[in-house]
Amino acid sequence: MASISLKYKSKQGTLTAPGDVDLGAMIPIATTTVGAGGSSTITFSSIPQNYEHLQIRGIARSTATTSTTGYSDSAFIRFNNDGSANYAAHHLDGNGSAYDVGADTSSTSAIIWDLGGAFTTQTANSFEVFVYDILDYSNTFKYKTLRVLGGADYNGYGRISIQSGLWQNTSAVNTITITNSVNFAQYSHFALYCIKRAEIGRAHV
């Protein structure tokens, strides 16, 4: 479906030609693709502070040869290299016949996606996907709230996941680190976007 951006002059409140203001536009900041041999860590640093929200879009697969217990083959996120117990999260997962719910509090990182289904013995070249939002990332008066929507399909086995999270720190987010205790497999891909602040004003049609 095509999308249309409204562009307007906030002072006069009149509709203008495209190019003045792009409301809520997503600006690509950085991308990274895992090479041969895999990688356990993805880092986005020196994140600009003049936007409203951040979004990470990714596909990932683990180099584990079988599903591991707990969260040991999951993708985790930390902000500003904070490894203290300042994170919390809730999750709801479903595969069409069963579901799982849970919560983590006082954690040293926030889980963003369980790669338990995306290990190397699963369907070749299949990746789990997720979209991860970090809201009001540069606001220094509040804790940072997080949300993620993900899913996967492995030739008959599939699932979806909805998660929310909290980083209990008022610092602006300037560094994001995503880790996996095994390795992210080759071709796992992560892209960071910044979302512009909407200008105050009104548009007349």
Side-chain angles (χ1 to χ4, degrees), residues 26-55:
M26 294 180 61
I27 310 300
I29 299 299
T31 62
T32 183
T33 301
V34 176
S39 176
S40 63
T41 304
I42 304 296
T43 300
F44 295 108
S45 59
S46 302
I47 297 172
Q49 298 297 305
N50 54 327
Y51 296 93
E52 190 161 14
H53 309 301
L54 299 176
Q55 185 176 97

Side-chain angles (χ1 to χ4, degrees), residues 49-89:
Q49 298 297 305
N50 54 327
Y51 296 93
E52 190 161 14
H53 309 301
L54 299 176
Q55 185 176 97
I56 298 173
R57 298 184 179 190
I59 63 171
R61 183 178 175 95
S62 172
T63 60
T65 57
T66 186
S67 182
T68 58
T69 58
Y71 294 140
S72 58
D73 59 353
S74 297
F76 296 90
I77 193 166
R78 284 179 175 172
F79 303 113
N80 299 2
N81 300 310
D82 180 11
S84 301
N86 293 325
Y87 302 86

Side-chain angles (χ1 to χ4, degrees), residues 160-178:
I160 59 172
S161 178
I162 301 171
Q163 300 186 44
S164 64
L166 179 70
W167 182 42
Q168 298 172 87
N169 194 308
T170 59
S171 298
V173 175
N174 54 56
T175 300
I176 298 172
T177 305
I178 304 171

